[in-house]
Amino acid sequence: MPRFGVLGPLTIESPPGRRTTPRGEHQRALLAVLLLNANSSVPVDALVETLWPGTPPKSYSSNLHTYVSRLRARFEGLEIERDPHGYRLVVEPADLDLLSFREAVAAGKAAARAGDPAARVSAHYRRALAEWRGPVLSGLHVPRLDADIARLESERLAAFEDCVDAELSDGRHGELAGELQAMITEHPLRERLAAQLMTALHRAGRQADSLAVHRDLRATLVEELGVEPGAEVRRVHAAVLRGEDPVPPAKAAPVFPICQLPPDIADLAGRESEIAKLSALLGDGKGVPVAVITGEPGAGKSTLAVTTAHRLRRSFPDGQLFVPLAGASAPRELADVLGDLLRALGVTGPAIPDDVEARAAVYRGRLADRRVLVVLDDAASPEQVRALLPGTPGSAVLITSRRRLSGLAGADRLHLAPLSGAEAVTLLARLAGPDRVGAERADAERIAKACGNLPLALRIAGSRLAMRPGLPLGKLAGKLEDEVSRLDELQVSDLQVRGSIALSYQALSPAARRAFRLIGRCRALDLPAWAVSTLIDSADGDDADEAIDELVEASLLEATGLDPTGEQRFRVHDLVRVFATELGRALETHAERVATVAKVSDAALCLADTAARRLPRTVPMPLSDHDVPEQPLAGELVERLLRDPGTWFSVERANLVGAVSSLCAVGWRRKALRILERLSAYLYLHSHYTDMRTAYETLRDAAREAGDRHIVVVAEANLAVLLHVRGEYELAAEGYRECSKELAELGDISAQAWVETNLARCLVGLGRAGESLHAATQARELSTVEESGTYARQAEAAALHRLGKISEALEIDRRSLAQARERGDERQLGVALQGLSWSLMLDGRPEEALATIEESVRVLRRTTAESALAKSLRTQGAILAGAGRRDDAVKAYENARRLAGALEERPRELSCTRAIAASWIGDGRADRAIPVLRQCLDEFRAMGGKPATALTLHVLRRAYEAVGETKAAEAAGEEAKRLEVPHDANASTLVRLLLSLTEPAPA
């Protein structure tokens, strides 16, 4: 079928990639009117009026028939039907850009109504708008279609406006201003566009431009229509004048109800009595019932659990969770399972505790007083299950396991036996066709017997029959009955399901068998298509696709849908993967297996390398270029996968963390390090510190056991960074010193420069400015690349602040800013502006400082560097406090604290809390500020941060004075003086600014 286009010049693409148009004017007009009314009958009178606007010829009927015939002959597959009323062009939505546009718009509206995330809503609208190539039917003037064309242009404009609303609510104002400006130039009287442009400009800090849009719109409306702007424009105008956000950010979509169940099995045979028993156990609403389905592998435990869960959905209106525990091969760590569950239940990022028991408590809290059915698939032991049980009545748990889980108190158990002979034949009939099985009943019974009546084996055999309608059942039965030779070759244990999987393997084509063995070499259970293709690496891409399709059809590989990068995902059941791995060991050499794993790990490393270099580099450690192979994947595929590098890392995060462990296990520590260095660019940027720590500890332990001193030190240096970011300064400084010494002995000057810079920053937090300056200077001298040199100079400037050498710090900061502007990296520019703003403040130039920090905040808001933004917002709060803008200062501190808390940057979060508490003193709420300041003081002391401790004591002294506790105030003041460092311009300025917040606000 050709693909048609009317949203732009009239085009017909047939075959794909080749665009043509009808030759005659009448044929083009006829096709145009039929396409604009696709799948609807167009009356003959309307077609005649379209083709001959004046007086039609006497032979119009035969002419019209001729034009229709010519169109059918010209374009193969074109369906134009004649009905009693006229002609109708039949076309699928995917084959006409107009229908594709409307389908995507409808999806966007439905997503918005359902409360989906704004990004998902806008994605639908953007897909719709991408169908437009220009004005409707440009280059073809058909007067009768003018009204239709105008209506379509209105649809396009409405879709654009709906898209903009979604993107504004998602905070994407920065990229919308130019697009909106172009649209309003075309439609100067469109008030909704004007309101959206005003909002985007206002959010981008361009209040004057936003007000100018309103002024121009009003002048145009008054001059051309004699009316004032409507209520919506007036509302946005008023909000801009007040400095408020006209469009509040979109609220997060509600978590409940949630359904994670896999699709139900339509061809289930038997099991009705088991389903009834389980439904009665789980659905009575008393307490927290727990049912365990046990039985041998391949008996259909998971299928029964899923089917039962679907039938019980109405009894559990808050949702159904499905948790694969992989107990048959490598049981999943409880911490990882709880982490996935918490993310599904709306707990994200740093809000997920590190401690397993704490995660379990949060999990139970999310399920408290709700009716949720939890399905735990393939549990390994009672210990793996207990922490996953809800804590309050209303919910229920359904567990599958090869073991009885006898230690799980209070659970009801259902042992699942194989199907009966009749049920097994019924399942075959549903898969291969009832007529076919009925005609060869005896052979069908032979197949069922050879499969041991196990559903997994029966499903595989039935799938093979369905794929080959001409295959006699007797022929397949004969193959399945020849079990002795296969068991001799493949036997690893006496489990009957292994025989079933072996039978399915023997039924595959040679290409699919090879693919099955190769896929078994990858330990990940959730595989992207690029990894599967890389593992198979067939010279003929079509053969690889056919092999994958065959595996999917045989239920040895499950296609689970598209991930957010648009890549197909596949899931390999853990028993099937173990079987395939052992099969590969028996049939292939060690060198062949190593070569295959090397290919897929090379692809993963290269993808991670490209993705990491497209993210802001925030982790303060080097990214080595050594040992990175050439990318084995096609450039087009790489670009599609990494269109949004953060999304790719998010999707593959668990696989990459697991790859570090797997690579260490086989001795490929250097490759594990290279992958982890690149993954850290994402993990550190988004404060996934737990994953970072776990992976680096795994790498360190493996390297230590192997005597790989360099990798041990690099891992320890990264672990010190994680101590530093959490405020454990003394331990971090000790770690940095040891690593720097080791790296110097090993001759890794590049890494040593980064470590010395980190040490310098850590020493500043400990109040040891002289040592910090020495470390920063040494780091700068050691730096071999510009990035580490810049980072060292920033640390040097921070130390100079503490030593009162402001002019030297200013010179460094100005040089850093010039370099950042030259490079054009917005994150580096924002950081450089923040450093310069604070040096200007310390140099007594508050107005310049304020302008500089405001530019820093604006720049960083356009990036994903939230840590740098939190730091700039905190600096902005301090500078605003010095300018007497108390309310603005507190707002900046609150925004900074919110970010720092989400990022688990405790020292910065505490410093913002201290400033906010200082403002309470000025508001007459010193009694409320005192306990908060005491908590800050205790934590700063525990961190060893002397400057931070002294600053907190100064504020606490003022709070005690405000409530009349003179002795406590004197004690706090005396301790603060003892901790003060001479010439510390940073501390003295911060004391002055913080204490200004404690003064009563002017009347």
Side-chain angles (χ1 to χ4, degrees):
M1 181 72 177
R3 175 165 171 84
F4 301 96
V6 295
L7 303 182
L10 176 64
T11 59
I12 304 96
E13 192 171 336
S14 178
R18 180 182 174 188
R19 292 185 174 180
T20 60
T21 57
R23 294 190 180 90
E25 190 73 18
H26 284 116
Q27 287 188 51
R28 288 197 294 273
L30 174 60
L31 182 59
V33 72
L34 290 173
L35 288 171
L36 289 186
N37 296 274
N39 299 320
S40 298
S41 181
V42 182
V44 171
D45 291 344
L47 295 174
V48 171
E49 184 180 346
T50 299
L51 299 179
W52 299 282
T55 303
K58 293 181 180 180
S59 59
Y60 71 84
S61 179
S62 61
N63 289 353
L64 178 60
H65 178 74
T66 298
Y67 293 149
V68 170
S69 299
R70 287 176 179 173
L71 287 174
R72 289 173 178 150
R74 176 77 187 280
F75 302 105
E76 184 178 354
L78 178 64
E79 295 183 47
I80 301 179
E81 300 177 350
R82 183 73 164 92
D83 61 32
H85 305 290
Y87 290 87
R88 177 175 61 249
L89 191 152
V90 180
V91 63
E92 293 295 328
D95 294 328
L96 175 58
D97 58 6
L98 172 58
L99 297 183
S100 297
F101 163 76
R102 285 174 171 164
E103 187 175 69
V105 168
K109 292 181 182 295
R113 287 193 300 269
D116 286 357
R120 188 175 302 168
V121 175
S122 70
H124 289 301
Y125 284 120
R126 286 293 176 188
R127 179 161 54 86
L129 294 169
E131 296 288 347
W132 286 75
R133 296 167 287 111
V136 177
L137 297 174
S138 57
L140 177 65
H141 181 59
V142 182
R144 194 181 186 283
L145 298 180
D146 288 348
D148 294 317
I149 291 172
R151 185 181 68 254
L152 286 176
E153 290 291 345
S154 296
E155 288 183 38
R156 176 193 185 190
L157 189 55
F160 175 78
E161 290 169 336
D162 289 343
C163 179
V164 170
D165 278 345
E167 292 178 351
L168 283 174
S169 68
D170 198 34
R172 294 161 62 183
H173 49 273
E175 57 202 70
L176 287 172
E179 196 174 5
L180 282 166
Q181 188 67 63
M183 289 296 286
I184 206 168
T185 300
E186 295 179 28
H187 307 279
L189 299 177
R190 191 79 173 188
E191 294 191 33
R192 186 179 178 192
L193 282 175
Q196 291 172 332
L197 178 56
M198 290 167 64
T199 300
L201 291 171
H202 176 62
R203 283 187 172 180
R206 297 166 60 185
Q207 186 180 30
D209 292 340
S210 177
L211 295 173
V213 172
H214 176 268
R215 185 170 57 252
D216 294 342
L217 173 68
R218 182 178 182 276
T220 304
L221 289 173
V222 170
E223 180 180 346
E224 295 190 22
L225 302 179
V227 297
E228 291 285 339
E232 177 62 12
V233 172
R234 294 198 303 273
R235 183 190 68 79
V236 173
H237 180 241
V240 172
L241 288 173
R242 293 192 300 269
E244 299 174 354
D245 187 2
V247 182
K251 295 181 179 178
V255 172
F256 296 101
I258 180 174
C259 181
Q260 295 184 323
L261 296 177
D264 198 0
I265 303 298
D267 47 26
L268 181 72
R271 306 304 195 198
E272 290 301 326
S273 62
E274 290 91 342
I275 293 172
K277 182 176 181 180
L278 290 170
S279 299
L281 288 172
L282 299 171
D284 65 1
K286 298 178 182 178
V288 182
V290 178
V292 180
I293 304 173
T294 65
E296 57 188 330
K301 301 181 293 295
S302 298
T303 297
L304 175 61
V306 170
T307 297
T308 302
H310 274 286
R311 296 197 188 182
L312 287 172
R313 285 190 64 186
R314 289 187 179 180
S315 299
F316 297 92
D318 290 320
Q320 303 81 39
L321 299 173
F322 186 83
V323 187
L325 296 175
S329 54
R332 295 178 62 194
E333 292 292 334
L334 189 55
D336 295 337
V337 174
L338 285 166
D340 288 346
L341 281 168
L342 291 178
R343 280 185 282 274
L345 295 172
V347 183
T348 59
I352 298 177
D354 291 342
D355 181 69
V356 173
E357 293 183 3
R359 289 188 178 192
V362 176
Y363 163 73
R364 288 192 295 270
R366 295 294 288 174
L367 297 186
D369 300 322
R370 293 188 178 276
R371 292 190 59 78
V372 175
L373 177 61
V374 181
V375 181
L376 304 177
D377 185 49
D378 194 13
S381 64
E383 292 77 9
Q384 193 183 30
V385 166
R386 289 191 184 103
L388 304 177
L389 303 180
T392 57
S395 293
V397 182
L398 180 56
I399 305 169
T400 69
S401 178
R402 291 194 300 168
R403 301 169 180 164
R404 282 188 52 82
L405 304 184
S406 300
L408 193 62
D412 290 288
R413 289 170 180 79
L414 173 68
H415 179 75
L416 195 60
L419 296 172
S420 68
E423 290 172 339
V425 173
T426 299
L427 178 56
L428 275 178
R430 290 180 179 175
L431 292 165
D435 294 340
R436 185 178 177 190
V437 169
E440 303 177 68
R441 177 83 186 187
D443 290 328
E445 291 175 351
R446 289 172 58 202
I447 292 173
K449 182 178 180 181
C451 291
N453 291 345
L454 286 173
L456 174 60
L458 289 165
R459 188 165 299 281
I460 294 169
S463 297
R464 298 303 304 161
L465 290 171
M467 291 175 61
R468 299 179 59 184
L471 176 66
L473 269 66
K475 186 173 182 180
L476 176 61
K479 291 182 178 180
L480 295 176
E481 287 171 342
D482 186 18
E483 186 174 333
V484 175
S485 61
R486 291 193 297 273
L487 287 175
D488 288 341
E489 181 181 2
L490 302 173
Q491 185 174 2
V492 176
S493 72
D494 58 354
L495 294 175
Q496 190 174 2
V497 71
R498 299 185 64 81
S500 301
I501 299 174
L503 293 174
S504 69
Y505 172 77
Q506 291 297 332
L508 297 174
S509 66
R513 292 181 195 176
R514 174 179 176 273
F516 179 65
R517 295 194 303 268
L518 293 172
I519 291 171
R521 297 175 188 170
C522 189
R523 295 189 62 82
L525 297 181
D526 172 40
L527 291 170
W530 63 262
V532 175
S533 300
T534 303
L535 284 166
I536 296 175
D537 191 26
S538 171
D540 187 338
D542 291 337
D543 285 350
D545 290 340
E546 290 177 5
I548 292 172
D549 290 342
E550 190 174 347
L551 291 175
V552 170
E553 287 298 319
S555 299
L556 294 173
L557 189 67
E558 180 186 359
T560 57
L562 300 181
D563 65 28
T565 70
E567 188 75 348
Q568 176 70 58
R569 309 294 294 193
F570 296 97
R571 182 179 179 274
V572 186
H573 190 280
D574 53 346
L575 279 176
V576 173
R577 181 191 62 76
V578 169
F579 173 78
T581 301
E582 295 176 354
L583 186 61
R585 288 181 185 143
L587 297 180
E588 289 150 5
T589 67
H590 175 74
E592 289 173 330
R593 296 197 301 273
V594 168
T596 303
V597 176
K599 281 189 301 184
V600 73
S601 59
D602 282 352
L605 172 55
C606 290
L607 284 170
D609 183 68
T610 303
R613 295 180 191 279
R614 295 180 181 181
L615 290 177
R617 185 69 186 175
T618 58
V619 59
M621 285 297 291
L623 184 66
S624 174
D625 291 325
H626 299 301
D627 309 313
V628 178
E630 291 187 7
Q631 173 60 262
L633 302 180
E636 182 180 350
L637 172 61
V638 171
E639 287 304 312
R640 178 173 63 77
L641 290 173
L642 303 183
R643 188 176 295 117
D644 181 345
T647 297
W648 183 82
F649 270 127
S650 175
V651 168
E652 301 297 351
R653 173 180 155 195
N655 280 343
L656 291 173
V657 171
V660 172
S661 177
S662 297
L663 291 171
C664 286
V666 297
W668 294 1
R669 296 175 300 280
R670 185 67 54 180
K671 181 175 282 188
L673 173 61
R674 296 295 174 249
I675 288 177
L676 184 50
E677 285 174 341
R678 284 137 184 86
L679 176 60
S680 295
Y682 169 80
L683 296 177
Y684 193 85
L685 179 63
H686 295 281
S687 301
H688 298 312
Y689 300 134
T690 301
D691 279 353
M692 256 186 95
R693 183 170 61 252
T694 300
Y696 273 113
E697 286 174 347
T698 299
L699 180 62
R700 178 201 60 195
D701 294 346
R704 185 174 287 159
E705 184 176 347
D708 193 331
R709 184 179 169 195
H710 181 257
I711 291 182
V712 170
V713 177
V714 172
E716 289 285 11
N718 280 276
L719 292 170
V721 169
L722 298 179
L723 291 172
H724 187 171
V725 79
R726 291 176 182 267
E728 299 180 46
Y729 294 139
E730 290 287 2
L731 289 175
E734 181 182 347
Y736 287 142
R737 290 191 191 280
E738 288 295 324
C739 291
S740 178
K741 179 181 176 182
E742 290 276 337
L743 290 167
E745 293 177 2
L746 292 168
D748 190 346
I749 297 174
S750 173
Q752 186 189 2
W754 284 94
V755 171
E756 284 290 332
T757 303
N758 293 335
L759 174 61
R761 290 181 174 271
C762 192
L763 290 169
V764 163
L766 289 167
R768 287 140 65 177
E771 295 177 56
S772 173
L773 181 61
H774 174 75
T777 303
Q778 183 175 353
R780 177 168 51 79
E781 293 171 351
L782 289 170
S783 296
T784 57
V785 295
E786 186 174 330
E787 185 181 9
S788 62
T790 300
Y791 188 58
R793 284 192 295 273
Q794 291 166 357
E796 196 173 356
L800 290 169
H801 289 165
R802 271 68 175 183
L803 295 171
K805 299 180 180 182
I806 307 306
S807 60
E808 295 179 43
L810 266 170
E811 182 181 349
I812 291 173
D813 289 329
R814 286 198 172 101
R815 188 161 60 250
S816 296
L817 178 59
Q819 292 172 346
R821 290 195 189 280
E822 183 178 348
R823 284 195 293 269
D825 184 312
E826 289 201 322
R827 187 195 70 84
Q828 292 185 17
L829 176 59
V831 170
L833 285 164
Q834 183 275 331
L836 178 59
S837 72
W838 191 238
S839 289
L840 289 168
M841 191 67 186
L842 299 185
D843 199 41
R845 289 186 264 181
E847 293 181 358
E848 292 180 62
L850 182 57
T852 304
I853 193 60
E854 286 179 343
E855 183 183 358
S856 171
V857 171
R858 286 196 303 272
V859 169
L860 289 171
R861 284 193 190 279
R862 298 196 295 265
T863 74
T864 56
E866 293 184 336
S867 178
L869 175 59
K871 185 175 182 180
S872 285
L873 284 168
R874 183 182 63 176
T875 302
Q876 185 184 39
I879 294 174
L880 286 168
R885 292 168 57 180
R886 176 196 191 83
D887 291 344
D888 291 338
V890 172
K891 183 177 180 181
Y893 275 122
E894 288 174 341
N895 289 334
R897 181 174 67 171
R898 187 161 45 250
L899 275 175
L903 297 172
E904 288 190 337
E905 294 178 348
R906 188 58 177 164
R908 187 167 296 147
E909 183 182 9
L910 286 173
S911 64
C912 294
T913 300
R914 177 182 59 205
I916 294 166
S919 73
W920 295 344
I921 300 170
D923 293 338
R925 295 181 288 166
D927 55 337
R928 179 184 176 189
I930 288 173
V932 173
L933 290 169
R934 283 174 174 166
Q935 177 65 33
C936 292
L937 183 63
D938 290 341
E939 292 198 45
F940 280 133
R941 280 173 171 162
M943 293 174 186
K946 291 182 181 179
T949 301
L951 285 169
T952 309
L953 286 165
H954 278 295
V955 181
L956 188 57
R957 172 182 60 83
R958 186 63 60 89
Y960 283 137
E961 290 172 350
V963 297
E965 295 187 26
T966 307
K967 291 185 178 180
E970 291 175 352
E974 290 173 1
E975 185 180 355
K977 288 181 180 179
R978 287 197 300 272
L979 292 172
E980 286 177 354
V981 177
H983 313 299
D984 189 344
N986 189 78
S988 60
T989 301
L990 271 176
V991 168
R992 175 174 58 82
L993 298 177
L994 285 173
L995 293 184
S996 72
L997 292 173
T998 68
E999 298 295 334

